[in-house]
Amino acid sequence: MRGSAAMTEVMVERGSRAHRATLGVGVALVALAATVPLWADSSWMREFVEIACYFVFAMMWNLLAGYGGMVSIGQQAFFGLGGYAMLALGNFAGFDPFLAVPVAALAVALLALPVSWIAFRLQGGYFAIGTWVIAEVFRLSIANVSAVGGGSGTTLTALRGIPRATRESLTYWLALSAVVACIAGVYLFLRSKQGLALQAIRDNETAAESQGIAVRRMKLAVYAVAAFGAGLAGALYFLGNLRISPDAAFSVNWTAFAIFMVVIGGIGRIEGPIVGALVFWALSRFFSDLGTWYLLGLGLLAIVVTLFFKQGLWGYAQQHWGWALFPTQRRLVAPQNGAITSRNPP
């Protein structure tokens, strides 16, 4: 028993050192990334903003489906609403466009509350199809609002007068802040009791409710948070793009690409959307000019990963080599007094 306890202490100590090393490397990388506008070409910043939008959107889909068990194919509704809310705040309400990004995301999260009343009346496949229908309703509604350009869209005029270098630098720093906040927020949430409750709901909703978990309240909170993140990604994307249209903002491709990224990287893992976003960006960067062949390649890659790497690329690496940048699983630890407790790995 003493040997087992000693081994547990050694494992915890090693895990703690690895965790501190990972945290140190992460802080150093963020600090280095923050200096990019001071020395890098503007094209680098634009590429990073695009990757950041992919990642944040995929991370929110992973939180909703991978951890919460709510498979949605209509998250593009909140992506598009975030973009249009940012534009409306900047063009018509006089908001600073950069401050309008988080405000737009918050507005989208609030709008998700009444939308959830409709979505949560559906279960399983009906929920997935229902979210897509909701997104189409928003797309058609926005396309009939002439103030924002109708079906042809409009331009973000609130950025007039701001030098291009300043605009690109501020957009980059905003995207970097969104990535860091997204990773930190999801990681801390999943290591909390609420995160454990969410995963219990995903595994067995009835059993979770029988243990006293407020299932509907938790699902509503996660749905709103996922909407906030999707709205943030949409506002950021169109802040950098300078132009928005209903077909671009509410395209189902956004959710399709998010599912692709999460499946490729590893669903139900924080590292999954990171790996998936990088893979997707690289493929689109170098092969998108191939048109139909590019889309066929994405589908073929998804099929190969699904067949041979069922837990995604990062899941495969974690299973075979024990890699875990953001460990959220819990371990049963047996102290010397023999009482078994549950704890997060350090």
Side-chain angles (χ1 to χ4, degrees):
M1 187 67 182
R2 290 181 180 179
S4 177
M7 182 61 69
T8 300
E9 291 178 1
V10 171
M11 292 174 60
V12 170
E13 178 64 23
R14 289 177 179 174
S16 179
R17 290 177 181 175
H19 180 68
R20 287 195 295 268
T22 301
L23 181 61
V25 172
V27 170
L29 288 176
V30 171
L32 177 62
T35 67
V36 165
L38 304 179
W39 51 269
D41 187 78
S42 61
S43 62
W44 289 29
M45 292 185 283
R46 289 194 295 270
E47 295 288 357
F48 178 83
V49 171
E50 184 176 351
I51 296 173
C53 294
Y54 289 150
F55 164 71
V56 172
F57 189 69
M59 179 68 90
M60 291 299 102
W61 191 88
N62 189 39
L63 177 66
L64 187 69
Y67 288 103
M70 293 175 279
V71 179
S72 168
I73 56 174
Q75 288 304 100
Q76 67 271 15
F78 304 120
F79 185 90
L81 288 172
Y84 271 101
M86 180 274 300
L87 181 136
L89 289 170
N91 283 6
F92 307 129
F95 268 69
D96 181 291
F98 302 101
L99 294 178
V101 170
V103 176
L106 181 59
V108 171
L110 293 175
L111 183 60
L113 299 179
V115 171
S116 69
W117 184 82
I118 300 173
F120 285 178
R121 297 175 71 88
L122 306 171
Q123 299 293 328
Y126 295 104
F127 174 84
I129 298 299
T131 57
W132 182 24
V133 172
I134 291 171
E136 284 299 294
V137 169
F138 280 122
R139 183 184 68 83
L140 294 173
S141 300
I142 295 293
N144 286 283
V145 179
S146 58
V148 291
S152 59
T154 188
T155 304
L156 180 61
T157 59
L159 289 173
R160 289 176 180 173
I162 300 178
R164 178 178 177 179
T166 302
R167 170 173 55 81
E168 290 180 342
S169 297
L170 291 176
T171 304
Y172 171 85
W173 281 321
L174 194 57
L176 179 62
S177 300
V179 169
V180 173
C182 181
I183 294 175
V186 172
Y187 177 61
L188 293 175
F189 170 73
L190 292 176
R191 285 175 64 94
S192 67
K193 293 181 179 180
Q194 290 74 22
L196 185 62
L198 177 64
Q199 294 173 70
I201 293 172
R202 174 198 62 190
D203 295 337
N204 193 316
E205 188 173 316
T206 303
E209 191 169 16
S210 69
Q211 295 299 314
I213 297 175
V215 172
R216 183 173 180 82
R217 188 186 307 167
M218 178 61 68
K219 292 173 65 175
L220 178 60
V222 171
Y223 189 78
V225 169
F228 176 89
L232 182 65
L236 266 174
Y237 183 83
F238 291 107
L239 177 68
N241 202 45
L242 302 180
R243 181 171 179 80
I244 189 171
S245 68
D247 289 340
F250 296 96
S251 172
V252 72
N253 285 341
W254 287 110
T255 298
F257 290 153
I259 296 173
F260 172 84
M261 287 182 268
V262 173
V263 169
I264 291 296
I267 191 168
R269 290 173 173 81
I270 295 179
E271 301 91 346
I274 299 176
V275 174
L278 291 174
V279 170
F280 176 74
W281 169 81
L283 292 174
S284 63
R285 180 73 173 79
F286 297 105
F287 301 107
S288 60
D289 292 339
L290 298 178
T292 304
W293 289 106
Y294 161 69
L295 297 176
L296 288 174
L298 291 181
L300 180 61
L301 178 60
I303 292 173
V304 170
V305 171
T306 302
L307 290 177
F308 299 103
F309 305 93
K310 297 183 184 298
Q311 296 178 327
L313 297 179
W314 187 266
Y316 178 86
Q318 187 177 35
Q319 185 177 12
H320 284 76
W321 299 299
W323 295 356
L325 296 178
F326 305 100
T328 58
Q329 73 277 14
R330 289 173 176 260
R331 288 185 186 146
L332 291 177
V333 178
Q336 294 182 357
N337 60 11
I340 297 177
T341 60
S342 174
R343 59 168 294 168
N344 283 311

